[in-house]
């Protein structure tokens, strides 16, 4: 069926968008962002207040990225396993839809739902910029969100792929750990030099495998401020996204043999 992936994706996306926890988490995230942007916020560094627009916009940009990645894990964690638990898969197989198309449609739904959630948070950030008299940032935020989407999409797809093979608890742990390495890539890169020895080498290998999600976020932020953007980190993120998508096509879920 030519539109099989699109139909599976649309149905799964509708289910994702009906989840109450999605809106609860988004509401909490929006409140947190608004709290950071309020005049009563007392964020300081070395005893100096960081209430200026440029500082607050940078902090909020990092916060939106982090929450967006967390939402990507939450939204993508159970989609594929739930389909097998409901025994819906046999309705797909009898229509000659391949498992690759089935998993691909579900994974695309996860990615779109994650991007929609991140988009809502980014819209709050845009409102903050406009409300503070920096409407010139709004147009630059459009391509910046496209860069940020690489990071969120990777986390969502990575979680979706893991969910094919592993139980929920293991997926949640690994899906949180790997993006965590990416989000705190710069800090961990410094820490590995301090650690040294076998531990430092292991950490160095992990940092080479996991894409630099923090670097992608920084590239998106620099896009909004008209600063030079390091494109190689974006290309590496796209490469990682492509590699994980290959795993989605090649892996056969354990659940398909059980139901």
């Amino acid at each position: 069926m030519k539109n099989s992936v699109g139909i599976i994706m649309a149905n799964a996306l509708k289910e994702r968008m009906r989840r109450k926890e999605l809106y609860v988490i988004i509401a909490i995230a929006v409140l947190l962002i608004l709290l950071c942007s309020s005049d009563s916020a007392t964020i300081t560094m070395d005893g100096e207040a960081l209430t200026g627009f440029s500082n607050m916009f940078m902090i909020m940009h990092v916060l939106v990225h982090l929450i967006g990645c967390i939402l990507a894990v939450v939204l993508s964690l159970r989609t594929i396993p739930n389909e097998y638990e409901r025994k819906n898969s046999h309705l797909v197989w009898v229509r000659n839809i391949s498992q690759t198309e089935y998993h691909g449609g579900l994974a695309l739904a996860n990615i779109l739902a994650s991007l929609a959630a991140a988009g809502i948070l980014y819209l709050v950030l845009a409102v903050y910029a406009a409300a503070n008299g920096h409407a010139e940032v709004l147009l630059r935020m459009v391509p910046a969100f496209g860069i940020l989407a690489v990071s969120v999409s990777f986390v969502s797809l990575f979680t979706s792929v893991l969910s094919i093979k592993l139980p929920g608890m293991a997926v949640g742990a690994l899906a949180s750990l790997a993006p965590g390495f990416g989000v705190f890539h710069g800090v961990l890169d410094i820490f590995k030099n301090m650690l040294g020895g076998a531990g430092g080498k292991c950490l160095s290998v992990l940092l080479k495998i996991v894409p630099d999600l923090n670097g992608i976020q920084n590239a998106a932020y620099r896009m909004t401020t008209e600063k030079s953007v390091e494109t190689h980190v974006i290309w590496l993120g796209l490469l990682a996204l492509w590699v994980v998508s290959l795993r989605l096509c090649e892996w056969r879920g354990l659940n398909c043999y059980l139901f």
Side-chain angles (χ1 to χ4, degrees), residues 16 38-39 41 49 76 115 144 163 168 171 174 203 207 216 237 255:
R16 296 296 92 198
S38 67
D39 293 334
S76 308
L115 291 178
S163 70
V171 174
L174 290 174
L203 187 56
L207 290 175
I216 295 174
N255 292 307

Side-chain angles (χ1 to χ4, degrees), residues 119-140:
I120 293 173
L121 298 178
Y122 216 62
L123 182 61
V124 174
L125 186 58
V127 172
Y128 168 75
N132 282 270
H134 291 272
E136 74 281 356
V137 177
L138 301 183
L139 286 178
R140 297 194 293 271

Side-chain angles (χ1 to χ4, degrees), residues 6-209:
I7 294 172
I8 293 170
M9 178 192 69
N11 291 333
L13 183 59
K14 289 178 182 178
E15 181 181 351
R16 296 296 92 198
M17 301 311 292
R18 286 197 296 264
R19 290 181 58 177
K20 293 180 181 180
E21 60 264 42
L22 167 63
Y23 299 102
V24 171
I25 295 174
I26 288 178
I28 294 173
V30 169
L31 288 174
L32 181 60
I33 292 172
L34 292 177
L35 178 62
C36 290
S37 63
S38 67
D39 293 334
S40 60
T42 56
I43 301 175
T44 60
M45 180 176 290
D46 295 330
E48 296 182 7
L50 298 178
T51 55
F53 172 78
S54 60
N55 289 327
M56 291 306 301
F57 186 78
M58 178 184 66
I59 293 171
M60 291 171 66
H61 201 279
V62 173
L63 188 60
V64 166
H65 174 251
L66 178 60
I67 297 174
C69 289
I70 294 173
L71 283 171
V73 173
V74 172
L75 290 171
S76 308
L77 190 60
R78 294 292 304 168
T79 299
I80 295 177
N82 281 349
E83 288 296 309
Y84 286 114
E85 288 177 5
R86 293 170 187 163
K87 301 184 179 181
N88 290 337
S89 54
H90 72 281
L91 298 175
V92 175
W93 312 142
V94 296
R95 290 174 172 80
N96 295 323
I97 297 174
S98 69
Q99 192 174 26
T100 297
E101 291 176 317
Y102 186 43
H103 289 167
L106 295 174
L108 282 174
N110 287 340
I111 291 174
L112 291 177
S114 300
L115 291 178
I120 293 173
L121 298 178
Y122 216 62
L123 182 61
V124 174
L125 186 58
V127 172
Y128 168 75
N132 282 270
H134 291 272
E136 74 281 356
V137 177
L138 301 183
L139 286 178
R140 297 194 293 271
M141 288 183 71
V142 176
F145 181 73
I147 297 174
L148 205 69
V150 175
S151 184
V152 176
S153 298
F154 170 80
V155 175
S156 176
L157 186 60
F158 181 77
T159 306
S160 299
V161 170
L162 287 180
S163 70
I164 299 174
K165 284 286 189 180
L166 301 175
M169 186 175 295
V171 174
L174 290 174
S176 301
L177 183 62
F181 270 92
V183 171
F184 298 102
H185 201 283
V187 176
L188 292 173
D189 189 48
I190 297 174
F191 181 70
K192 73 175 177 59
N193 295 326
M194 298 171 56
L195 189 62
K201 290 181 180 179
C202 291
L203 187 56
S204 179
V205 171
L206 285 173
L207 290 175
K208 289 180 179 178
I209 295 174

